[in-house]
Amino acid sequence: MNAHAHFHSLGRPPSTATVALQDALRQSLPFDDQRDLDEARRGFLAAPDYRQIMADAGHVAWNIGAYDFLLEGQQFDSIHPSLQRQATLNMEYGLFEVVPGTIYQVRGFDLANITFVASDSGWIVFDPLTCAETAAAALALVGEQLGERPVVAVVYSHSHVDHFGGVRGVVDEADVRAGRVQVIAPVGFMDHAVAENVYSGTAMNRRAFYQYGVLLDRSPFGHVDQAIGKGVASGTTGLIAPTRYIEADIEELVVDGVRMVFQNTPGTEAPAEMNTWFPDLKAFWAAENIVATIHNIYTLRGALVRDALEWSRQINHALYAFGQEAEVMFASHSWPRWGNARIQEVMRVQRDTYAHLNNGVLHLANQGVTINQIHNRYDVPASLQAQWPARSYHGSVAHNSRAVINRYLGYWDGNPATLIPLSPENSAPLFVEMMGGSESILRRARELVDAGDYLLATEILTKLVYAEPQGVDGKWLLADAFEQLGYQQESPSVRNSFLAAALELRSGIPQGVSPKTSGPDMIRALSTGQFLDVLGIRLNSAAAEGDAFTITLLTPDTGETFVVELSNGTLTNLAGFAAADADLTLTVDRAHLETAMAGESTLQRLLEQGVARAEGDLAVLQRLASYLVHFEVGFEMMPGTGTAVLSVPMEDFEVEPLGDSSGG
């Protein structure tokens, strides 16, 4: 009997079909392999006496205690057994020793791990978490347990925010500028730290409500894990620019007495990412390329599709370059593996899983299997399914297999009927009519739900909900089907997506939920060209139709020149050129422009203060501002759930919140 009550009054317990599925999985999965549990606990030194970390703004930034229900020893039928195992492993919390006297990790303080490598005079920190508050708490724990030492270097393994956003919690930027602290990153880091997130940031953040279960209660019926950690901390996010880039494919560097060999791995989990080999310690840092899950080839919050074959190649390179000698392998998520045989086993399993995903999907695609069929046809080899490192928690086999086809062939399935499809709200009424109306659909859908045929039920109920978005019975029954499907998922990203949709179908979007903001460091990291690109995306083309003007933008402190042109309802920009007959020439130092980009000032105020100068028709700037739209993150995802005002008021030229790239 499940002692935990559902967090929603309309929530349903696991059905007979769901319970039967979970029971069968408990019998078929390799639960007798307990090595991950032993490895996750190995080297434990201490945990703090708190299970919450507060943000500087006064709210709770991190709360691992919200998941303590996973420590009760109860099997929950509302959680896929494999996912419950992973979620419980991710509850290990505190300071751990990886290599005696040299390498330590703090785990369970954020989505990622923070790693401390002892150097001659201090610590080299790898991946300082998402926010300053959790990173500072980790550093304090290390100081309490191991003694106070200065941080002499920071290494960003890659360009996702959960690996650099907390840097200001471990170092002072003044020390970086003075040369007392190095910041090391893979080539292309600064470009990709924002490029993945800037153009579709609002849409990414809204979709993250689903992938990351932002609005779900921490409960056996809601959010239980995020595959590579419990979730994403919500505090003060920052970014200090690297002082040293690793540019070669393989590059050796000695930092304060620690010899490191970096392996650049672009095109894997992130477009700028690197592994690190410590030859004197026989220790291999796998960044986020080898963790305790098969990762996303396509991440549901939104990102460019990744290259599963290249990912496999880079693991293979690491296996033969470093894996033959490694005695410990550790990473930015999950737990280390010790012993050369174990390390090679895990590397080969993940190498083969990514390679087979690419090759196996394309094997079927070349026989005519389409993007809308592949997830029902592609199977991971049985030998890999029986090994925990090949299980798909962060990614799922279903959405990753479709991603491979999308990468090589695109979204079209080859049927001309899907080349210019009707929008679902336009086609749904005919389907409802042909199925005999809403009562007929509801009657049949209830039969399907009662029989455990949830996917079939969602097929017909989705038509009904699009046709009659205000119909409560259809929305609630669709929510019931989504909920059972969510309970059955091994991947928390997929689980959360079903459960989040069920929540919104039942209750709409809760008002007043504020998304995380980007922070001034992330805004400063935008190039001027990216800032102007964002203005082009924000332009209300219909409102600007018929207007035309040219602006020359000069930023003397950076020596940049841009021509910005409005024509045909489109705003374009080009670096390195000035218009001879510009309607307006705007001169402003990039440092001052950033205050307008961050909403700390406005272009009008900068002009009034004399730190910006305008020559020509200043009304052009006012017209441009009037055409710009600020996007609202609370837009409707499921029909009939309504919209919510979740965003804070913004200045005209203030940059929209960037997408949250946490977790890849």
Side-chain angles (χ1 to χ4, degrees):
M1 185 71 178
N2 196 333
H4 293 267
H6 200 294
F7 62 86
H8 197 284
S9 61
L10 296 176
R12 301 299 181 97
S15 66
T16 301
T18 296
V19 171
L21 175 65
Q22 313 293 43
D23 284 342
L25 289 166
R26 291 186 187 107
Q27 301 305 312
S28 63
L29 289 167
F31 286 103
D32 55 342
D33 182 354
Q34 294 288 309
R35 290 177 295 172
D36 281 337
L37 179 61
D38 296 337
E39 289 163 337
R41 293 177 174 173
R42 178 171 169 173
F44 173 73
L45 296 177
D49 59 3
Y50 54 82
R51 296 181 74 76
Q52 285 188 356
I53 299 171
M54 300 303 296
D56 292 343
H59 63 274
V60 176
W62 180 252
N63 185 9
I64 196 169
Y67 299 93
D68 283 348
F69 61 87
L70 291 164
L71 304 178
E72 297 171 2
Q74 180 177 341
Q75 290 183 334
F76 295 105
D77 290 326
S78 55
I79 309 173
H80 189 291
S82 175
L83 173 56
Q84 183 169 346
R85 169 191 173 277
Q86 183 82 351
T88 305
L89 287 166
N90 282 332
M91 289 297 290
E92 298 300 324
Y93 174 66
L95 175 63
F96 296 80
E97 186 176 63
V98 179
V99 175
T102 308
I103 299 178
Y104 301 86
Q105 288 189 314
V106 175
R107 302 184 208 130
F109 274 46
D110 206 322
L111 185 67
N113 304 326
I114 182 171
T115 299
F116 296 84
V117 179
S119 63
D120 286 349
S121 61
W123 295 115
I124 300 171
V125 173
F126 276 67
D127 287 5
L129 306 182
T130 307
C131 63
E133 294 89 340
T134 53
L139 180 61
L141 178 62
V142 168
E144 291 166 8
Q145 297 298 320
L146 304 175
E148 299 288 341
R149 306 182 77 193
V151 174
V152 299
V154 174
V155 177
Y156 301 145
S157 71
H158 65 285
S159 52
H160 292 150
V161 69
D162 51 321
H163 301 266
F164 65 79
V167 64
R168 292 184 182 275
V170 295
V171 296
D172 189 319
E173 188 170 12
D175 290 328
V176 176
R177 290 178 175 173
R180 290 186 289 271
V181 177
Q182 292 190 62
V183 179
I184 303 164
V187 63
F189 171 86
M190 283 299 284
D191 291 336
H192 294 297
V194 293
E196 276 196 290
N197 321 317
V198 59
Y199 296 134
S200 57
T202 303
M204 285 175 64
N205 287 333
R206 178 68 176 101
R207 291 160 67 100
F209 282 26
Y210 278 40
Q211 180 182 351
Y212 287 97
V214 173
L215 304 181
L216 297 174
D217 278 28
R218 278 50 186 152
S219 153
F221 300 100
H223 191 278
V224 300
D225 198 59
Q226 208 56 53
I228 52 176
K230 300 314 301 176
V232 183
S234 177
T236 306
T237 298
L239 173 60
I240 297 176
T243 59
R244 174 72 154 83
Y245 288 99
I246 303 302
E247 299 187 8
D249 291 346
I250 302 292
E251 187 169 333
E252 182 170 329
L253 190 64
V254 177
V255 177
D256 198 35
V258 178
R259 190 158 63 107
M260 297 177 284
V261 179
F262 296 100
Q263 176 198 3
N264 265 312
T265 63
T268 54
E269 189 270 340
E273 186 150 359
M274 62 186 186
N275 300 327
T276 307
W277 167 240
F278 297 85
D280 300 324
L281 302 172
K282 304 300 182 189
F284 177 65
W285 161 263
E288 199 169 331
N289 288 318
I290 306 171
V291 292
T293 173
I294 295 305
H295 215 290
N296 291 303
I297 300 304
Y298 163 64
T299 181
L300 299 179
R301 62 165 165 78
L304 297 176
V305 173
R306 295 159 187 163
D307 187 342
L309 187 58
E310 180 62 17
W311 203 325
S312 174
R313 283 197 189 102
Q314 293 288 4
I315 293 175
N316 211 18
H317 186 177
L319 170 64
Y320 281 93
F322 314 118
Q324 309 301 306
E325 299 180 58
E327 292 300 330
V328 62
M329 178 172 67
F330 61 113
S332 60
H333 297 277
S334 310
W335 46 90
R337 274 55 182 253
W338 284 271
N340 188 258
R342 172 65 164 158
I343 291 165
Q344 291 202 42
E345 172 196 345
V346 172
M347 294 177 90
R348 282 190 167 88
V349 165
Q350 294 216 341
R351 175 199 65 184
D352 293 350
T353 306
Y354 287 114
H356 193 276
L357 175 65
N358 184 88
N359 299 341
V361 166
L362 293 179
H363 181 88
L364 293 169
N366 280 303
Q367 298 178 72
V369 179
T370 73
I371 194 169
N372 295 324
Q373 299 167 321
I374 190 64
H375 54 293
N376 295 315
R377 294 283 301 276
Y378 172 72
D379 287 316
V380 177
S383 58
L384 288 173
Q385 289 188 43
Q387 301 186 67
W388 291 121
R391 303 302 300 187
S392 291
Y393 300 108
H394 208 32
S396 76
V397 176
H399 77 260
N400 276 346
S401 60
R402 299 185 78 195
V404 172
I405 287 189
N406 192 41
R407 179 178 179 87
Y408 289 97
L409 298 173
Y411 63 84
W412 185 42
D413 64 358
N415 180 350
T418 63
L419 273 176
I420 46 173
L422 292 169
S423 297
E425 63 270 22
N426 298 130
S427 62
L430 177 61
F431 281 94
V432 171
E433 176 191 337
M434 298 300 293
M435 286 188 280
S438 60
E439 288 304 317
S440 176
I441 293 173
L442 287 168
R443 184 169 56 252
R444 183 68 179 111
R446 288 190 187 99
E447 293 172 356
L448 292 168
V449 168
D450 290 343
D453 291 329
Y454 302 116
L455 286 173
L456 280 175
T458 65
E459 286 281 332
I460 60 175
L461 285 168
T462 298
K463 302 295 186 187
L464 176 59
V465 170
Y466 270 106
E468 301 177 10
Q470 302 311 314
V472 170
D473 290 345
K475 288 191 292 187
W476 286 2
L477 189 54
L478 181 56
D480 290 346
F482 279 168
E483 186 167 58
Q484 297 302 320
L485 288 168
Y487 293 160
Q488 295 176 11
Q489 301 307 306
E490 185 174 31
S491 164
S493 295
V494 181
R495 170 191 172 92
N496 294 341
S497 298
F498 278 117
L499 298 184
L503 174 65
E504 293 183 9
L505 285 165
R506 289 165 173 161
S507 301
I509 307 170
Q511 300 288 328
V513 179
S514 296
K516 292 190 297 184
T517 57
S518 303
D521 286 348
M522 295 296 288
I523 300 302
R524 281 195 293 270
L526 287 173
S527 70
T528 308
Q530 287 172 327
F531 165 63
L532 296 172
D533 288 343
V534 169
L535 296 185
I537 293 167
R538 288 178 50 205
L539 186 83
N540 181 342
S541 182
E545 184 69 41
D547 199 354
F549 52 73
T550 302
I551 300 172
T552 293
L553 173 64
L554 306 173
T555 57
D557 59 340
T558 58
E560 292 181 298
T561 302
F562 285 85
V563 59
V564 181
E565 188 172 348
L566 176 69
S567 59
N568 300 306
T570 304
L571 191 70
T572 59
N573 71 84
L574 181 64
F577 289 85
D581 56 349
D583 297 288
L584 173 68
T585 297
L586 180 65
T587 303
V588 56
D589 280 346
R590 165 67 196 221
H592 293 303
L593 179 62
E594 286 169 1
T595 65
M597 293 164 59
E600 298 165 0
S601 187
T602 65
L603 286 179
Q604 182 61 40
R605 198 174 306 144
L606 295 177
L607 288 165
E608 292 169 358
Q609 293 170 346
V611 295
R613 300 192 312 276
E615 299 176 23
D617 184 4
L618 192 56
V620 165
L621 199 61
Q622 296 165 346
R623 299 209 308 271
L624 176 58
S626 73
Y627 301 145
L628 299 178
V629 172
H630 278 299
F631 301 123
E632 171 54 61
V633 75
F635 60 77
E636 186 177 79
M637 295 268 282
M638 293 300 301
T641 56
T643 59
V645 178
L646 307 182
S647 301
V648 296
M650 300 179 70
E651 300 292 349
D652 289 339
F653 292 97
E654 184 177 352
V655 175
E656 303 286 312
L658 273 61
D660 186 347
S661 63
S662 299

